[in-house]
Amino acid sequence: METDITITVATKAHLIYVDSICRTIAESAQARGTGIAGRSAAYLRQKMLDGKAIIATLKNGQWAGFAYLDVWDNGQFVSHSGLIVAPDFRRHGIAQQIKRALFSLSRCLFPKAKLFSITTGQAVMNLNSQLGFRPVAFSELPQDDRFWNQCSSCKNCDILARTGRKYCLCTGMLYEPLPSEKAG
């Protein structure tokens, strides 16, 4: 495996990878048998154009991993979403590098925001914990209908709907800036 991987904020130059990223996300969800809310190629393209995505690429022009952020409740919350590593590059620490870069980007762009992630994956939960995220009830997450409507493409959405958005198979994790970080 090529080890010369660049982790960077995605730009217009990375739009060529969007269709492959979307395919890989869908295939991963199917293979794992877990619920992952799908995002359109247009949605991911916009994240790249807005400077709200991280991508891992190799010198040979291949993409190795990707993740993006969204802003909710007028900047009070930032979600980390879409973390995916291409199958050939899994188990090499790329997800951790992407997650750390996304965390740094989020803190840079929105230093006072609470960061959160919703996942069914133990690996993502571990990465979140390493960064200071803690498991929380869904009531501590944004209540914006736009956010929760994104779950509608997940195969487990019926659980969320039946429980009035209180429970799901996903775990919500939250990072809250320290008071000293919020003041700066």
Side-chain angles (χ1 to χ4, degrees), residues 22-36 84-85 87 90 120 155:
C22 286
R23 236 183 348 271
T24 304
I25 290 171
E27 290 167 359
S28 178
Q30 186 171 9
R32 288 183 6 210
T34 60
I36 295 179
I84 188 74
V85 175
R90 293 180 183 157
T120 57
K155 75 178 202 173

Side-chain angles (χ1 to χ4, degrees), residues 48-167:
M48 290 180 176
L49 293 172
D50 291 344
K52 294 180 179 174
I54 298 293
I55 193 161
T57 56
L58 286 73
K59 282 187 178 181
N60 70 6
Q62 238 181 318
W63 73 274
F66 178 80
Y68 65 90
L69 66 87
D70 266 313
V71 182
W72 305 100
D73 292 354
N74 298 314
Q76 293 180 56
F77 289 92
V78 171
S79 63
H80 287 184
S81 300
L83 178 60
I84 188 74
V85 175
D88 291 346
F89 303 101
R90 293 180 183 157
R91 303 201 185 284
H92 294 282
I94 294 171
Q96 182 177 39
Q97 293 177 63
I98 292 169
K99 186 69 177 175
R100 288 185 182 282
L102 189 63
F103 183 85
S104 294
L105 178 63
S106 300
R107 299 293 295 126
C108 179
L109 295 176
F110 305 96
K112 297 178 183 180
K114 295 177 183 179
L115 310 181
F116 72 99
S117 174
I118 296 178
T119 186
T120 57
Q122 187 63 49
V124 174
M125 288 184 228
N126 292 344
L127 292 173
N128 286 338
S129 293
Q130 291 170 18
L131 291 168
F133 287 71
R134 62 182 173 82
V136 296
F138 284 0
S139 62
E140 291 190 51
L141 301 177
Q143 297 307 303
D144 186 331
D145 287 337
R146 286 182 319 111
F147 169 73
W148 292 103
N149 288 341
Q150 290 187 352
C151 294
S152 65
S153 63
C154 174
K155 75 178 202 173
N156 299 316
C157 185
D158 65 311
I159 299 168
L160 193 62
R162 280 195 325 262
T163 64
R165 294 190 223 169
K166 291 182 180 154
Y167 306 103

